[in-house]
Amino acid sequence: MTVLDTTAEPQGWADKITNGPGGYGGVEADEQWAAEVRRLVEQRNATLLAHNYQVPAIQDIADHVGDSLALSRIAAEAPEDVIVFCGVHFMAETAKILSPDKTVLIPDQRAGCSLADSITAEDLRAWKDEFPDAVVVSYVNTTAAVKALTDVCCTSSNAVEVVASIPADRDVLFCPDQFLGAHVRRVTGRKNLHVWAGECHVHAGINGDELAAQARSHPDAELFVHPECGCATSALYLAGEGAVPDDRVKILSTGGMLDAARETRARQVLVATEIGMLHQLRRAAPDVDFRAVNDRASCTYMKMITPAALLRCLREGADEVHVDPETARLARASVQRMIAIGQPGGGE
């Protein structure tokens, strides 16, 4: 770990930072904070990565903003020795898996993920025992231990392609997201796709009734819907019933949403995903009115990466992320198999 010369730091930063169950606080994301973050990033020889669901101030200060897999791949190619991952814990683990020789830091190691926590390595082992000849496909939104027991990973943008690449006579165990799994089953028509009943609590909370009400209130808007959302099936139903023109309903990963934002001719877009995504969408297409389907869809874990947490991380070299070398080797193989299939693009 790089030893920092802290003599140039403004006095009192450490005294300002508070620590509570919701994360670190006490520091305002002002120009002085931004200058200090960038100074420490350079001094620590670090690359600063921020997920699309981070607060705007964190996104704006980062070297790279994107989804978890894209950021992890950037981390692997970056020349810097230290990766600071502003996201949730499984994302920082993935960066460590793909960059085993680099130091990976997360500003608050308590930033977990309800989706990743919905299946454990023990759960997956027991499921595999029920279907010993099945191929395990795991979403990248899983822990390193689950990835290590996985045959091939997938993202929300390539899950259909990954499953379609598996021989039709092989059972497939798809985990952990039930809504993404339902989307894959719907698109592929595969009957031997077994789906784990996990979910992201934020995406699951964006329901079909809300989507239908918003679509009725904004009849000319396009719909950008993340496949993890509980309303994804409702969106397709609305299109099928003619309530919303079929070409206005787009089931998209976060990376896919950005691509679609740059290409849309709509003046208004309803967005069904975590609200942090709106910041990047508005930057990508400032003339489009992007509105959240559910403006309460905020991930408390993502928001634990606060300005204070980032400053503490850079000053103290905390919190470092470790992955057992053998677990990392097996997990890396499942990610690399996905990349070999193609279209690894957007992480989630």
Side-chain angles (χ1 to χ4, degrees), residues 216-234:
R216 285 193 297 269
S217 299
H218 304 90
D220 296 325
E222 283 190 343
L223 305 182
F224 288 5
V225 181
H226 195 284
E228 282 182 37
C229 285
C231 66
T233 300
S234 297

Side-chain angles (χ1 to χ4, degrees), residues 2-257:
T2 305
V3 177
L4 299 185
D5 173 13
T6 60
T7 57
E9 293 183 31
Q11 297 298 311
W13 281 117
D15 295 336
K16 292 180 181 179
I17 297 173
T18 59
N19 182 13
Y24 294 93
V27 173
E28 183 180 348
D30 55 15
E31 291 183 5
Q32 186 183 27
W33 167 83
E36 180 65 359
V37 165
R38 292 313 310 173
R39 185 185 76 82
L40 291 170
V41 165
E42 183 176 352
Q43 193 169 9
R44 198 171 279 283
N45 190 29
T47 300
L48 182 57
L49 309 178
H51 189 269
N52 289 317
Y53 296 162
Q54 291 292 295
V55 296
I58 298 289
Q59 294 188 40
D60 290 344
I61 200 69
D63 294 306
H64 303 280
V65 181
D67 56 54
S68 65
L69 181 62
L71 291 175
S72 292
R73 296 180 75 186
I74 288 170
E77 299 296 326
E80 290 82 6
D81 301 322
V82 178
I83 307 302
V84 179
F85 208 122
C86 296
V88 294
H89 196 270
F90 81 81
M91 299 177 180
E93 276 192 334
T94 304
K96 183 65 176 179
I97 288 165
L98 296 180
S99 306
D101 297 327
K102 294 184 179 181
T103 299
V104 176
L105 305 176
I106 183 170
D108 192 333
Q109 65 182 345
R110 297 170 296 183
C113 172
S114 59
L115 178 57
D117 289 346
S118 67
I119 187 167
T120 66
E122 291 72 23
D123 292 333
L124 183 51
R125 285 193 191 95
W127 202 24
K128 289 175 69 171
D129 287 344
E130 294 180 45
F131 299 90
D133 297 322
V135 177
V136 177
V137 177
S138 293
Y139 194 20
V140 291
N141 295 31
T142 46
T143 64
V146 167
K147 289 184 179 74
L149 294 171
T150 294
D151 293 301
V152 57
C153 283
C154 74
T155 69
S156 58
S157 61
N158 72 5
V160 170
E161 287 76 18
V162 167
V163 170
S165 74
I166 298 167
D169 61 346
R170 295 288 301 276
D171 281 321
V172 176
L173 304 183
F174 188 95
C175 68
D177 190 81
Q178 60 182 312
F179 300 112
L180 179 58
H183 172 67
V184 173
R185 182 187 284 144
R186 183 169 54 242
V187 174
T188 63
R190 193 162 187 140
K191 304 299 184 184
N192 57 351
L193 179 68
H194 308 277
V195 179
W196 188 260
E199 64 182 31
C200 161
H201 72 287
V202 176
H203 282 108
I206 306 174
N207 62 58
D209 290 341
E210 284 179 318
L211 182 71
Q214 291 275 21
R216 285 193 297 269
S217 299
H218 304 90
D220 296 325
E222 283 190 343
L223 305 182
F224 288 5
V225 181
H226 195 284
E228 282 182 37
C229 285
C231 66
T233 300
S234 297
L236 294 172
Y237 175 80
L238 289 171
E241 292 295 303
V244 178
D246 184 67
D247 62 353
R248 290 188 189 165
V249 177
K250 304 180 189 300
I251 309 297
L252 300 165
S253 66
T254 54
M257 287 184 183

